[in-house]
């Protein structure tokens, strides 16, 4: 009798295991191509290992990073009031009509939400970290969902001279968007190692340029330089830090722009400003931060400090306004950037998603987002470590 009673239990366990295995197989089969490159050719691996950033079997940061992983995992499924919009996000939708005429000033920026941005600079059109998919995820049916559809359809964008990808996390390197752009003949400029993902998705090798930190390539009269960053990479855990991450400096005959990519605060930002600045415009990641991992992302106050370190003139916060990827209100990044910028006398550009703006012809910063409660820097500080030691933190400038 005892054995007969146990039978249904074992059947349930077996059935549950089979269901779990089937679900895992479904996830893997649907996500496999989105994962990107699993292995490298000897030639690709030799190029990667020749980098000064590669040692101990992976790429490394200019300064070590610290995180309270135990607390971060404990809070992983917490939600924050106002973390996602309560109503529709105000978006300026179009079919790209404003982009048909070149910017009179020679510099124009169109923000699509998060870090996706079209930069028109000195006659060249450069698309930064484009994601037109519904979710930054290896599968289309799971993961954080975007709050609004792309303001301009991808096929309505004008001809793009180069696509810049800062690293291979899903909210920056989107397979479906890459494949759509490669069908249009796009050229890609990426940090070391990411070329393997692109080749696997059908991008011809002759349309891929891979750069190490401080290396440059030309896009017309524009010099594009990969700049150091303090972050990480990987699309699945075994690939962690096997591809490089970077920011980009774009230097033209008349204008200079710096895009931070994803980064925490680090000392070499001063070198970026000294070697490649000053910059007319900086696009700096300012959202998706947390005190449990303060070295992975800048956060608003340190974004303003980064702008100052690289010798920026006008700052535009990015990496916010499209996905909920951290425990803060969705408008908090821009509110805290504006507060910190006011203290440090920094000018800030805050275009509406889909709006094309020429920074040199800008009016005052427009507040297109709704008013809602948010936590100040004093209430929830995000302060980077100096060398990966939680006891040694960066000292932020006081309000002047």
């Amino acid at each position: 009798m005892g054995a007969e009673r146990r039978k249904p239990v074992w059947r349930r366990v077996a059935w549950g295991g089979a269901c779990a295995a089937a679900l895992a197989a479904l996830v893997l089969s649907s996500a496999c191509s989105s994962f990107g490159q699993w292995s490298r050719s000897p030639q690709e691996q030799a190029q990667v290992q020749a980098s000064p950033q590669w040692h101990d079997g992976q790429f490394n940061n200019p300064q070590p990073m610290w995180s309270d992983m135990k607390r971060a995992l404990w809070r992983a499924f917490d939600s924050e009031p106002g973390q996602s919009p309560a109503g529709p996000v105000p978006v300026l939708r179009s079919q790209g009509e404003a982009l048909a005429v070149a910017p009179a000033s020679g510099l124009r920026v169109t923000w699509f939400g998060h870090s996706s941005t079209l930069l028109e600079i000195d006659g060249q059109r450069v698309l930064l970290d484009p994601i037109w998919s519904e979710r930054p995820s290896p599968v289309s049916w799971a993961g954080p969902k975007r709050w609004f559809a792309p303001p301009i359809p991808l096929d309505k964008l004008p001809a793009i001279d180069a696509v810049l990808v800062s690293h291979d996390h899903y909210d920056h390197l989107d397979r479906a968007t890459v494949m759509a752009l490669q069908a249009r003949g796009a050229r890609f400029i990426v940090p070391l190692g990411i070329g393997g993902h692109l080749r696997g998705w059908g991008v011809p090798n002759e349309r891929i340029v891979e750069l190490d930190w401080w290396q440059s390539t030309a896009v017309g009269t524009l010099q594009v330089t990969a700049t150091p960053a303090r972050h990480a990479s990987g699309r699945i855990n075994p690939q962690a830090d096997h591809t490089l991450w970077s920011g980009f400096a774009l230097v033209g005959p008349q204008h200079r722009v710096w895009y931070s990519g994803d980064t925490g605060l680090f000392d070499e930002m001063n070198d970026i400003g000294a070697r490649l600045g000053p910059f007319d415009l900086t696009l700096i990641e300012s959202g998706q931060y947390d005190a449990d991992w303060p070295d992975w992302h800048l956060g608003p106050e340190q974004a303003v400090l980064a702008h100052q370190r690289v010798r920026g003139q006008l700052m535009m916060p990015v990496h916010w306004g499209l996905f909920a990827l951290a425990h803060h209100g969705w408008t908090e990044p821009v509110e805290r950037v504006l507060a910190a910028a006011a203290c440090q006398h920094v000018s800030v550009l805050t275009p509406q998603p889909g709006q094309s703006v020429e920074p040199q012809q800008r009016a005052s910063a427009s507040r297109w987002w709704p008013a809602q409660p948010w936590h100040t820097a004093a209430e929830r500080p995000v302060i980077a470590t100096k060398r990966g030691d939680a006891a040694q933190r960066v000292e932020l400038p006081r309000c002047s």
Side-chain angles (χ1 to χ4, degrees), residues 66-73 75 289-296 327 381-382:
W66 172 86
S67 59
D68 187 341
M69 191 56 65
K70 182 178 179 181
R71 177 175 160 80
L73 290 173
R75 297 174 56 234
Y289 49 84
D290 196 286
D292 291 340
W293 20 278
D295 297 336
W296 291 66
H327 301 301
V382 178

Side-chain angles (χ1 to χ4, degrees), residues 378-397:
E379 292 170 331
R380 292 193 180 178
V382 178
I383 304 175
T385 68
K386 292 182 177 179
R387 294 289 185 275
D389 181 354
Q392 301 292 323
R393 303 285 181 137
V394 173
E395 184 175 347
L396 298 182

Side-chain angles (χ1 to χ4, degrees), residues 89-102:
V89 175
V91 175
L92 187 62
R93 300 195 179 280
S94 76
Q95 298 297 303
E97 295 88 350
L99 304 175
V101 179

Side-chain angles (χ1 to χ4, degrees), residues 37 39-60 191-196 199 210-212 215 233 241-244:
Q37 186 183 47
S39 61
R40 291 194 176 106
S41 69
Q43 294 82 2
E44 290 174 321
Q45 190 61 24
Q47 181 188 25
V48 162
Q49 290 181 340
S51 168
Q53 281 58 253
W54 181 274
H55 49 88
D56 298 326
Q58 63 182 33
F59 284 107
N60 288 265
L192 280 178
I194 294 181
R199 284 185 286 271
E210 296 183 72
L211 299 176
D212 202 344
Q215 289 183 341
S233 68
D241 299 340
H242 285 193
T243 60
L244 191 58

Side-chain angles (χ1 to χ4, degrees), residues 325-363:
L325 304 177
H327 301 301
H328 57 66
W330 82 272
T331 64
E332 184 178 296
V334 68
E335 296 284 12
R336 284 175 59 165
V337 162
L338 290 175
C343 280
Q344 302 302 321
H345 310 290
V346 168
S347 298
V348 179
L349 183 66
T350 57
Q352 188 177 353
Q355 182 182 11
S356 297
V357 179
E358 295 189 45
Q360 293 171 333
Q361 300 177 358
R362 74 189 188 280

